[in-house]
Amino acid sequence: MIGTGRVGPALGAALQLAGHTVVAASGVSAASRRRADALLPGVRIVTPPQVMAAADLVLLTVPDDALADLVSGLAATGAVRPGQLLVHTSGAHGVGILEPATRAGALPLALHPAMTFTGTSVDLARLAGCPFGVTAPEELRPVAEALVVEMGGEPEWVPEEVRPLYHTALAHGANHLVTLVAQAVELLRTAGVAEPGRMLGPLLGAALDNSLRSGDAALTGPVARGDAGTVRRHLAQLSTVSPDIPAAYRAMARATAQRALANGTIDDASAAALLDVLNEESGNGTR
């Protein structure tokens, strides 16, 4: 594998458990090398061209923005061998980004695990049943899906042209959820709650489960009830404790009001009252 960040070593270890031999890895930082040592003990740490020369299947587990230059550089230096399986794990890209290597004879696959990684052995358990976004030429689809199954995952076919939208959906849901939860923890801690995580865990777990089961019908709370006065009081509280959370609250409450209106949870008058409150300027009540 080329890239021993949080994802690569976990996938390499999963393939190793399935019977593959990890012959070499490339990593630059001390943290990357520590992860490789922990999850792939005894595997040689070498340069990217040396990885290419040693392996029939190469995982490119580098950041999204580094992928194009890496592939172009490998192809330009003749490191790519005909018939070599070249797999990247970027959610944002399909197989088109591997085109320079494909022209040199590589067999391109895009396998993106829809999971957050820690870079530790915990990740191996999380791969069990993990969905993978799979994109590949049609003739390589069985190979791509077999590799995912070997890693313990569940293949989900994602056409090349919608790969960016697929990744946007995952990033919007998972990454912004972390920010949202961190903000809620901050507010509870300011309110004097000693263990915010213990209070939020059951509530957020139920909300996630309900929303996955029922979609917009799972909406609850003051926006879903049309309680514009409560929303105004929330904003007044937020303005006293945080410089950045009020903007996030307003944005999410607007989106929630629009979805509640479209879903029939609130009527036009309630939605208008909510949006009037949300459009008021913070602190002075004017619009």
Side-chain angles (χ1 to χ4, degrees):
M1 76 187 59
I2 298 176
T4 50
R6 295 184 179 184
V7 177
L11 298 187
L15 286 169
Q16 197 162 248
L17 287 172
H20 294 268
T21 301
V22 181
V23 294
S26 174
V28 177
S29 71
S32 293
R33 291 171 177 266
R34 284 195 299 271
R35 280 189 288 266
D37 287 340
L39 290 172
L40 301 167
V43 171
R44 295 185 300 132
I45 303 297
V46 296
T47 66
Q50 288 173 316
V51 173
M52 296 293 291
D56 296 317
L57 164 64
V58 178
L59 299 180
L60 306 179
T61 55
V62 298
D64 292 350
D65 289 351
L67 186 57
D69 287 344
L70 172 63
V71 174
S72 297
L74 292 172
T77 57
V80 179
R81 292 184 282 110
Q84 192 170 40
L85 284 165
L86 202 58
V87 180
H88 78 69
T89 58
S90 166
H93 299 290
V95 294
I97 200 166
L98 299 175
E99 179 60 27
T102 304
R103 289 196 303 268
L107 305 178
L109 308 175
L111 308 180
H112 173 249
M115 180 53 62
T116 181
F117 287 81
T118 65
T120 69
S121 59
V122 169
D123 298 330
L124 287 174
R126 289 179 175 175
L127 284 173
C130 170
F132 276 67
V134 175
T135 305
E138 189 62 36
E139 64 273 16
L140 293 177
R141 182 169 176 171
V143 176
E145 294 179 345
L147 284 170
V148 170
V149 170
E150 286 186 325
M151 287 185 280
E154 296 286 343
E156 180 70 32
W157 186 253
V158 180
E160 178 83 12
E161 63 273 14
V162 298
R163 191 83 178 194
L165 180 60
Y166 152 83
H167 189 246
T168 300
L170 295 180
H172 182 47
N175 302 154
H176 297 163
L177 177 62
V178 173
T179 301
L180 182 63
V181 172
Q183 289 180 343
V185 166
E186 178 184 339
L187 293 173
L188 285 174
R189 190 169 286 124
T190 302
V193 175
E195 297 185 48
R198 199 166 87 176
M199 178 169 282
L200 283 171
L203 173 65
L204 298 186
L208 177 60
D209 183 64
N210 290 343
S211 62
L212 290 174
R213 292 173 183 270
S214 305
D216 289 337
L219 283 173
T220 63
V223 173
R225 292 190 298 269
D227 292 340
T230 298
V231 171
R232 179 179 279 112
R233 287 189 289 274
H234 285 180
L235 289 168
Q237 288 295 307
L238 289 174
S239 68
T240 67
V241 299
S242 170
D244 60 322
I245 297 179
Y249 182 101
R250 288 175 188 273
M252 290 304 299
R254 285 191 191 99
T256 301
Q258 290 160 358
R259 297 188 78 89
L261 176 62
N263 190 47
T265 305
I266 58 175
D267 58 22
D268 289 342
S270 295
L274 286 165
L275 293 173
D276 279 347
V277 170
L278 293 168
N279 290 332
E280 291 173 356
E281 291 182 8
S282 175
N284 60 16
T286 60
R287 275 184 250 161

